[in-house]
Amino acid sequence: MRLWTVLRQALAGWQMILRGEPDWRTQFSLTPAGLATALSIYAFVAFLAVAIAATSIGMPGAFGVLAAMVVLALPVIALALSLLLTRNFLKSPAPLLPVLVPGIYALTAFLLIEGLLAMIGGPIVMLAWIGIGYLLFRLARHVQAWSRGIAAGFAVLTVLMLVAMRLALYMVSTAPL
C-alpha cells in the first residue's frame, strides 16, 4: 500500500536526518507532489484526531470539524511562517521543500504524540513541544546547514509560534461579546 510505503520512507528519512546521514533526500519526495502528499497525510491524521476526540461528546457539525481542523493546522502554519521568517532574516535563497516536507511528517507524529500526552495530563504535553523542537533543530542543522544558534532559533521560534497561535485563538474564541 502506498500510504505505508510513504510513511515508512518518512520514518527512514527522519532516522537518517537524526544520524546526520547525507542520503536522507532519497527517502522524501521533495517536490510539490511530495508536499501535497505530506499535507494530505497530516490532514487525514488531524481528521482522525477530531473524530477520536469527539467519541465522548459526538461528532460536531461541519463548522465544528472545520474549526478543529484549522486549529490542528496551526503547527504547519507555524513551521511555514518561521521557515520563511528565518530564511528572509538570513537572506538565504535555500529552497523551502527540503525543510517543509520532512517537517510536516515530524508534525504529523507530533500531532499524534501531543494528543496522547494531553489525555494523560496538561503539563506533560510540554514533552511533545520539546520533542518537536529538537526534531526541528536537527532538521535545520542537517538540511539547511544552519549554525547551531540559527537552527535553535528556528526551532524555538516555531514552537513558540505554535503555542502562541493556539493561545491567541483560545483567547479570541472565549472572549465575552
Side-chain angles (χ1 to χ4, degrees):
M1 180 175 233
R2 176 128 169 83
L3 174 66
W4 297 117
T5 303
V6 169
L7 292 175
R8 190 176 23 203
Q9 286 178 327
L11 181 62
W14 263 103
Q15 289 172 344
M16 294 171 86
I17 289 170
L18 291 173
R19 290 185 200 130
E21 296 176 14
D23 293 339
W24 66 271
R25 292 176 187 270
T26 61
Q27 302 299 318
F28 296 101
S29 176
L30 301 175
T31 63
L35 178 63
T37 300
L39 287 171
S40 297
I41 291 171
Y42 186 88
F44 176 71
V45 170
F47 181 77
L48 282 179
V50 171
I52 290 169
T55 57
S56 63
I57 58 171
M59 192 68 170
F63 181 75
V65 171
L66 182 63
M69 294 291 286
V70 167
V71 170
L72 292 175
L74 290 177
V76 175
I77 295 167
L79 174 65
L81 283 175
S82 63
L83 179 59
L84 286 171
L85 287 171
T86 305
R87 196 178 80 144
N88 287 341
F89 175 75
L90 297 174
K91 296 177 180 29
S92 170
L96 298 175
L97 288 178
V99 175
L100 280 178
V101 173
I104 290 171
Y105 286 112
L107 289 173
T108 303
F110 165 75
L111 183 66
L112 291 171
I113 292 168
E114 184 187 41
L116 291 173
L117 291 176
M119 288 200 237
I120 295 170
I124 200 164
V125 171
M126 288 184 227
L127 293 175
W129 300 343
I130 292 168
I132 193 65
Y134 177 73
L135 290 177
L136 292 173
F137 170 78
R138 292 295 301 152
L139 182 66
R141 285 283 293 152
H142 190 65
V143 173
Q144 297 291 9
W146 288 340
S147 69
R148 285 187 178 114
I150 297 293
F154 164 73
V156 168
L157 177 64
T158 304
V159 172
L160 285 178
M161 286 177 66
L162 181 146
V163 173
M165 285 193 291
R166 287 180 177 173
L167 184 60
L169 189 59
Y170 172 74
M171 291 168 52
V172 168
S173 68
T174 59
L177 297 174

